[in-house]
Amino acid sequence: MPAPIRLRELIRTIRTARTQAEEREMIQKECAAIRSSFREEDNTYRCRNVAKLLYMHMLGYPAHFGQLECLKLIASQKFTDKRIGYLGAMLLLDERQDVHLLMTNCIKNDLNHSTQYVQGLALCTLGCMGSSEMCRDLAGEVEKLLKTSNSYLRKKAALCAVHVIRKVPELMEMFLPATKNLLNEKNHGVLHTSVVLLTEMCERSPDMLAHFRKVRQLFSSQLVPQLVRILKNLIMSGYSPEHDVSGISDPFLQVRILRLLRILGRNDDDSSEAMNDILAQVATNTETSKNVGNAILYETVLTIMDIKSESGLRVLAINILGRFLLNNDKNIRYVALTSLLKTVQTDHNAVQRHRSTIVDCLKDLDVSIKRRAMELSFALVNGNNVRGMMKELLYFLDSCEPEFKADCASGIFLAAEKYAPSKRWHIDTIMRVLTTAGSYVRDDAVPNLIQLITNSVEMHAYTVQRLYKAILGDYSQQPLVQVASWCIGEYGDLLVSGQCEEEEPIQVTEDEVLDILESVLISNMSASVTRGYALTAIMKLSTRFTCTVNRIKKVVSIYGSSIDVELQQRAVEYNALFKKYDHMRPALLERMPVMEKVTTNGPAEIVQTNGETETAVLETKPPPSGLQPANQANDLLDLLGGSDITPVIPTAPTTKPAAAGGELLDLLGDLNLTGSPVSAPAPQIAQPPFLLDGLTTQPLFNDIAAGIPSITAYNKNGLKIDFTFERSNTNPSVTVITIQASNSTELDMTDFVFQAAVPKTFQLQLLSPSSSVIPAFNSGTITQVIKVLNPQKQQLRMRIKLTYNHKGSAMQDLAEVNNFPPQSWQ
Amino acid sequence: MIKFFLMVNKQGQTRLSRYYEHVEINKRTMLEAEVIKNCLSRSKDECSFIEYKDFKLVYRQYAALFIVVGIDQTENEMAVYELIHNFVEVLDKYFSRVSELDVSFSGSEIHCY
């Protein structure tokens, strides 16, 4: 068999390959040759073959069949073999392969070898890929080597110890005594690796950290002073050709020491004090013309910010960062922005001084710098500078990459909310964001904006006018269109009447407004949600506009057969509103009241029903999208709901149409709202912060009309029911009746259920009773509240049905109540 | 902590790779390709630190060869930047005027460093 080719030949051949396929072919051929050579157990050429295998491994081809060969090489006596063998082990093996354990013995022998280079190889390999078992076995040897006087070995042993500690943290104590003398070395290599070892120990174990900080030892052997001394020597000493990098002596060691000082000084006053001087010295003396100096300064700044340094030092640090920002080198600016971001929380004022430079960085070409500058700018916005900053940020929003726009927009909204100097400015800013980055705005911003707009009552006209102008030109940006349609729907009358104070009022006719809303509906660019908004807006305008009601009716009826289910449902319900419930339409579509800020998407408040099962769940708003329009006996638009801000939690309304139908609609307290037609924004996405609330947030119970006499509605078989009345001053068609049921017999009445029905022109709401047991001997009563809506002011009549258990038997009675006093319904 | 150390040329061929954390072999080529793509798309005006997935890349270009080091958040980026330069200077001394060919042909020696 001819001698296998050298590695260089192989590389040369592979380089001549012109395509990937050719290269693969060559490699496969060579792999086959190598494999057969391995099978022949050829000692002389094994080294060469493994070297080639490693090269192929680096290119990405599988090379696992060489693992055992590496082991054989390690076991050989020749240094070149050992070298390739260990290299192969480092690259090909790790603790996932079982084979690696076979190496342990080899390494152990080599650690005690006479030649330091072999020992060095073994240490390197152990430090690179040693598994926990190997580390445990060999830690003793490593520790022994840590104490030798040979600096070459000492530094390698220190690095190996770092790996051992990482793998097996329990062995840390073993290395502790050896570390005592490590820092007394002159050799920078040993110093460097010892500092790494100490850093690793301090990071891993708080006990170690405390140990190293302690004052107990002799002053000269304390860690912090030792480090300070070494650092001082490095800075003060003259030119040393061995360690010089661009005029600075061993910057790598300096950086390591600074890092260790940082860990030691964190949260520890004594240590921090001991290092104050040296940090100041490093900060002032280091040359900043080259990158090396800047690297050291950067590490110094990080250390100063992290330990408990005095304020003068901190100001010095921030000034250094400010100087970095002015530097032309991008790397330095990036690094400065990163550190400023970390410190802006603690040293806010100091960072403010550099605000203008930071804002300039927004215009930089580099993506990473822009991102950092943006985050930092948001952190720096406060009440004083908000106008100026916002201008810059809006300009930035215009010109930045799309990946930034969402974050920038949200940041601007947050900042504007916190620091807006005036409502008009706030709204202007929001409009600007919506028009420039409208499609990147997050979904939850839309309800927040709407809520903000409703709260600034005096700006309604101005807002709606501006929004109208904005979507006139372009209605493709969904969040903008959603907010605009909502506002036009709410405040369309202000728009048409042209009453804007802040700006030049524009002349808009009702038809033009409807035109724009219709085009939103028709447009292909509108999302389903947006269309929903638009349709609802059109509907609302039917009460605000006077001459175009027919047009609105037409539009609404067209969408009654739309393919989109949501739109279709809305249209059908609105149609029903026009036909059957026209009298309620104005009340339903009234202006929204000012909302409180709802910060969380909480579920609807469900009032407990106190054990009543038949009178169904009260005060819950069923889903707007659950019910068919007004055909059943149960669904009446219950306007007396009075429940507040409710998002869409579908609570299945338990509808129980009572058997007794007739012309009296038996309403039995089921609050089935037919889909609250004015249930606004996106019921499927974010929480609609409000539902139909126009009417009934007024507390009804507090307005008491002067003394309406109470009546006894029923008195039979020991059961007496009294009615007391209240009328709301704010809403004269509502009467609130409180019933009190008392029991004059000797036995309790249990499972008491009170049901009531009223004629068609009325509406009734039954709230939950206080209990279902009426105790005997008039010792207690059940109270229940009934609300009656009487828009046509007809005479109140009521049929009541009582069921209860008494003396062991179930009783039931029907009665009619006609003796309502005139004041209760007129 | 340094995660990996790569020397890749402009065509995407890896001249030297050293991983200090275990990465599957098939993922390595993908990683190298993506990393070099990121570095190639940077212009001269942009800084040498790129944020990539959950670590940072520090890269430096020498003629047609990119040296890329992947580090995590605790490292001083500028110190690593210096380290790269130091490494190249050492190679320069060892090979007396190192070039890409030297790097390709003597991978094993460089590894030992």
Side-chain angles (χ1 to χ4, degrees):
Chain A
M1 160 124 197
I5 59 176
R6 290 168 174 270
L7 177 59
R8 291 190 175 237
E9 295 294 327
L10 176 65
I11 297 180
R12 232 168 260 145
T13 352
I14 293 182
R15 280 167 66 88
T16 59
R18 254 163 295 164
T19 67
Q20 185 77 327
E22 256 187 71
E23 179 182 307
R24 237 184 317 215
E25 234 185 86
M26 290 181 194
I27 292 201
Q28 267 171 353
K29 213 170 64 173
E30 191 56 38
C31 270
I34 294 179
R35 258 190 282 235
S36 43
S37 171
F38 281 162
R39 244 173 311 178
E40 288 172 17
E41 301 277 335
D42 184 353
N43 285 344
T44 22
Y45 293 118
R46 192 180 285 136
C47 157
R48 199 184 284 183
N49 285 328
V50 172
K52 283 187 285 188
L53 203 55
L54 291 178
Y55 181 75
M56 292 192 285
H57 173 82
M58 188 185 78
L59 289 180
Y61 298 95
H64 41 270
F65 54 88
Q67 286 165 6
L68 262 178
E69 303 301 316
C70 291
L71 292 180
K72 291 184 199 157
L73 281 174
I74 294 177
S76 127
Q77 291 307 317
K78 277 166 50 181
F79 180 72
T80 40
D81 280 358
K82 276 195 196 281
R83 198 172 69 160
I84 297 281
Y86 274 122
L87 183 61
M90 277 193 270
L91 292 181
L92 295 177
L93 286 176
D94 58 37
E95 46 192 38
R96 276 164 247 248
Q97 273 83 353
D98 299 323
V99 191
H100 78 279
L101 283 172
L102 296 174
M103 262 185 2
T104 318
N105 207 23
C106 280
I107 295 188
K108 191 177 198 139
N109 292 337
D110 282 337
L111 281 176
N112 293 326
H113 205 271
S114 44
T115 324
Q116 64 173 10
Y117 298 109
V118 176
Q119 288 176 299
L121 274 182
L123 281 170
C124 249
T125 311
L126 182 60
C128 190
M129 44 72 65
S131 66
S132 351
E133 291 90 21
M134 287 170 74
C135 288
R136 252 184 263 266
D137 289 336
L138 298 168
E141 308 286 328
V142 176
E143 201 251 338
K144 212 168 49 175
L145 285 172
L146 201 50
K147 295 195 201 139
T148 71
S149 47
N150 185 335
S151 29
Y152 174 82
L153 284 180
R154 239 178 153 186
K155 73 178 182 221
K156 290 208 188 262
L159 279 181
C160 192
V162 171
H163 181 87
V164 169
I165 291 177
R166 280 198 187 134
K167 282 286 174 186
V168 191
E170 296 91 44
L171 292 174
M172 220 188 297
E173 273 94 38
M174 202 161 94
F175 294 106
L176 190 51
T179 61
K180 281 208 186 71
N181 291 327
L182 274 179
L183 290 180
N184 292 333
E185 272 274 347
K186 291 273 187 294
N187 182 316
H188 280 213
V190 181
L191 276 178
H192 195 130
T193 52
S194 328
V195 173
V196 174
L197 178 59
L198 289 168
T199 313
E200 188 68 25
M201 284 177 153
C202 291
E203 274 177 353
R204 294 255 150 186
S205 146
D207 295 330
M208 284 290 174
L209 189 55
H211 171 93
F212 283 124
R213 281 178 179 156
K214 266 199 295 254
V215 193
R216 217 193 288 157
Q217 299 157 320
L218 282 178
F219 185 76
S220 59
S221 64
Q222 246 190 314
L223 190 56
V224 174
Q226 262 188 317
L227 290 170
V228 168
R229 209 181 42 233
I230 299 175
L231 198 48
K232 202 177 229 158
N233 282 340
L234 280 175
I235 307 177
M236 291 313 192
S237 67
Y239 177 74
S240 141
E242 258 179 48
H243 306 123
D244 179 78
V245 179
S246 314
I248 299 190
S249 187
D250 206 345
F252 301 107
L253 182 57
Q254 289 190 32
V255 164
R256 283 274 173 206
I257 293 182
L258 285 167
R259 198 174 304 169
L260 182 55
L261 285 176
R262 179 155 87 232
I263 298 176
L264 288 171
R266 199 179 282 158
N267 291 333
D268 187 56
D269 291 321
D270 294 325
S271 315
S272 309
E273 219 182 290
M275 14 176 137
N276 271 333
D277 290 335
I278 190 67
L279 287 174
Q281 209 176 359
V282 174
T284 39
N285 282 352
T286 316
E287 222 186 271
T288 55
S289 53
K290 292 273 178 66
N291 185 48
V292 200
N294 288 325
I296 297 182
L297 278 178
Y298 176 45
E299 193 72 31
T300 319
V301 165
L302 286 178
T303 304
I304 293 178
M305 302 315 294
D306 234 2
I307 65 175
K308 299 206 164 198
S309 49
E310 52 187 21
S311 58
L313 209 48
R314 294 183 94 94
V315 170
L316 178 61
I318 298 205
N319 286 344
I320 293 180
L321 289 178
R323 245 185 314 151
F324 276 0
L325 275 180
L326 296 169
N327 196 311
N328 283 332
D329 187 358
K330 308 284 165 152
N331 295 337
I332 298 178
R333 276 205 267 177
Y334 172 86
V335 149
L337 285 172
T338 317
S339 344
L340 280 174
L341 200 53
K342 283 187 228 166
T343 63
V344 76
Q345 312 297 335
T346 43
D347 291 273
H348 194 93
N349 295 330
V351 183
Q352 279 283 357
R353 247 178 276 142
H354 303 284
R355 190 166 48 88
S356 46
T357 336
I358 294 172
V359 168
D360 279 336
C361 287
L362 279 173
K363 306 196 183 89
D364 199 292
L365 291 168
D366 183 312
V367 166
S368 328
I369 291 186
K370 272 203 271 205
R371 179 171 279 283
R372 290 271 187 281
M374 178 180 85
E375 288 170 9
L376 202 49
S377 310
F378 281 130
L380 284 178
V381 173
N382 66 19
N384 297 331
N385 58 26
V386 68
R387 279 189 200 259
M389 291 290 277
M390 227 18 115
K391 216 163 46 159
E392 294 288 336
L393 286 167
L394 284 169
Y395 182 69
F396 173 67
L397 184 64
D398 276 335
S399 54
C400 70
E401 283 86 0
E403 62 222 24
F404 288 143
K405 290 208 188 204
D407 290 326
C408 194
S410 322
I412 291 182
F413 284 145
L414 271 171
E417 216 175 289
K418 274 199 265 188
Y419 301 112
S422 74
K423 289 231 160 107
R424 169 167 175 174
W425 180 91
H426 195 169
I427 292 188
D428 279 341
T429 313
I430 293 178
M431 294 271 328
R432 178 91 187 268
V433 174
L434 283 178
T435 41
T436 45
S439 22
Y440 298 99
V441 168
R442 293 217 174 92
D443 291 333
D444 57 354
V446 171
N448 288 342
L449 291 179
I450 290 182
Q451 193 234 324
L452 180 66
I453 293 175
T454 46
N455 284 344
S456 36
V457 177
E458 64 279 4
M459 306 291 304
H460 284 166
Y462 170 70
T463 317
V464 70
Q465 188 167 300
R466 284 208 62 188
L467 283 169
Y468 176 76
K469 279 200 276 198
I471 66 168
L472 254 188
D474 161 35
Y475 42 85
S476 61
Q477 308 201 68
Q478 299 304 302
L480 175 61
V481 175
Q482 285 169 11
V483 176
S485 6
W486 190 91
C487 285
I488 293 179
E490 266 306 287
Y491 310 120
D493 47 339
L494 293 175
L495 183 59
V496 184
S497 63
Q499 322 166 327
C500 180
E501 306 103 28
E502 310 266 350
E503 238 188 24
E504 182 78 25
I506 55 176
Q507 302 303 330
V508 185
T509 65
E510 301 182 354
D511 276 307
E512 285 171 356
V513 174
L514 285 175
D515 280 338
I516 188 81
L517 284 175
E518 272 192 64
S519 30
V520 168
L521 266 178
I522 299 175
S523 155
N524 285 335
M525 294 185 280
S526 302
S528 173
V529 171
T530 318
R531 281 191 240 246
Y533 271 84
L535 191 58
T536 308
I538 292 183
M539 189 58 195
K540 284 197 232 180
L541 289 174
S542 69
T543 46
R544 317 251 196 279
F545 285 176
T546 43
C547 10
T548 43
V549 183
N550 285 328
R551 181 172 171 188
I552 294 178
K553 273 197 206 166
K554 218 170 44 157
V555 171
V556 166
S557 55
I558 291 176
Y559 280 90
S561 43
S562 148
I563 296 183
D564 183 334
V565 177
E566 172 70 23
L567 273 185
Q568 185 188 71
Q569 176 171 359
R570 287 188 188 216
V572 170
E573 287 170 1
Y574 295 161
N575 250 335
L577 205 52
F578 272 123
K579 298 206 180 75
K580 284 180 96 176
Y581 299 102
D582 206 38
H583 54 283
M584 291 190 205
R585 199 164 40 88
L588 263 184
L589 302 175
E590 237 186 34
R591 187 88 93 219
M592 295 281 177
V594 173
M595 293 174 266
E596 306 134 27
K597 178 112 179 137
V598 180
T599 43
T600 53
N601 288 340
E605 302 211 338
I606 303 186
V607 174
Q608 296 307 320
T609 57
N610 285 350
E612 286 287 308
T613 48
E614 279 164 5
T615 43
V617 181
L618 304 173
E619 291 242 291
T620 56
K621 290 249 163 77
S625 52
L627 307 168
Q628 295 312 309
N631 281 327
Q632 299 161 346
N634 299 339
D635 38 352
L636 260 200
L637 296 163
D638 192 296
L639 304 171
L640 307 177
S643 55
D644 318 282
I645 302 167
T646 49
V648 204
I649 302 291
T651 49
T654 56
T655 60
K656 293 227 175 104
E663 59 289 356
L664 287 186
L665 294 167
D666 192 35
L667 300 169
L668 301 189
D670 281 337
L671 291 191
N672 297 327
L673 303 185
T674 54
S676 322
V678 204
S679 79
Q684 55 257 52
I685 306 184
Q687 161 206 354
F690 42 87
L691 272 185
L692 165 56
D693 252 344
L695 280 190
T696 57
T697 46
Q698 332 294 340
L700 294 172
F701 295 86
N702 294 339
D703 303 346
I704 298 186
I708 308 176
S710 50
I711 59 168
T712 303
Y714 176 90
N715 194 348
K716 224 164 46 166
N717 297 335
L719 175 63
K720 184 160 93 109
I721 298 187
D722 294 331
F723 282 11
T724 39
F725 302 96
E726 281 167 11
R727 295 205 50 191
S728 163
N729 282 334
T730 47
N731 195 342
S733 5
V734 173
T735 310
V736 179
I737 307 175
T738 312
I739 68 159
Q740 301 221 336
S742 54
N743 171 11
S744 53
T745 65
E746 316 93 50
L747 281 180
D748 296 348
M749 295 174 178
T750 56
D751 299 315
F752 179 80
V753 177
F754 176 89
Q755 293 164 322
V758 287
K760 244 191 196 150
T761 52
F762 298 87
Q763 278 159 28
L764 184 101
Q765 180 190 358
L766 208 57
L767 302 184
S768 49
S770 56
S771 84
S772 63
V773 173
I774 317 181
F777 298 117
N778 288 331
S779 46
T781 58
I782 293 183
T783 21
Q784 194 163 4
V785 174
I786 310 172
K787 292 190 201 163
V788 179
L789 179 70
N790 181 8
Q792 296 180 8
K793 302 258 194 301
Q794 292 189 349
Q795 183 181 10
L796 192 51
R797 286 183 309 151
M798 195 185 278
R799 190 174 281 184
I800 61 178
K801 179 173 166 185
L802 309 159
T803 45
Y804 55 92
N805 284 340
H806 188 235
K807 294 185 185 154
S809 53
M811 312 272 290
Q812 185 177 302
D813 202 359
L814 278 171
E816 201 165 313
V817 185
N818 287 326
N819 51 338
F820 287 94
Q823 300 99 310
S824 64
W825 48 267
Q826 258 169 2
Chain B
M1 207 183 107
I2 297 187
K3 308 258 172 182
F4 55 81
F5 190 102
L6 297 174
M7 289 173 85
V8 189
N9 77 356
K10 274 210 192 142
Q11 277 86 31
Q13 295 172 310
T14 312
R15 295 298 175 206
L16 180 80
S17 78
R18 186 66 185 257
Y19 287 84
Y20 295 98
E21 260 188 358
H22 184 78
V23 178
E24 301 288 336
I25 186 152
N26 46 354
K27 296 225 179 73
R28 286 188 194 188
T29 24
M30 255 174 26
L31 177 71
E32 283 155 28
E34 263 190 57
V35 160
I36 193 70
K37 205 165 48 149
N38 271 332
C39 296
L40 283 175
S41 57
R42 309 276 281 179
S43 73
K44 218 182 306 229
D45 298 332
E46 299 180 89
C47 74
S48 310
F49 313 124
I50 308 177
E51 269 145 51
Y52 173 75
K53 295 209 186 135
D54 59 347
F55 46 80
K56 286 194 224 180
L57 300 172
V58 182
Y59 74 92
R60 212 161 167 169
Q61 185 181 4
Y62 292 94
L65 201 58
F66 278 90
I67 303 191
V68 187
V69 179
I71 57 175
D72 70 1
Q73 309 296 334
T74 57
E75 278 286 334
N76 179 341
E77 301 95 340
M78 311 213 31
V80 174
Y81 191 72
E82 270 310 305
L83 179 68
I84 296 179
H85 192 69
N86 194 311
F87 179 71
V88 172
E89 278 183 359
V90 168
L91 286 183
D92 204 32
K93 281 273 163 58
Y94 183 75
F95 291 107
S96 38
R97 318 265 326 219
V98 68
S99 72
E100 191 185 334
L101 279 178
D102 292 311
V103 175
S104 330
F105 280 106
S106 37
S108 52
E109 296 168 29
I110 301 185
H111 265 298
C112 287
Y113 172 73

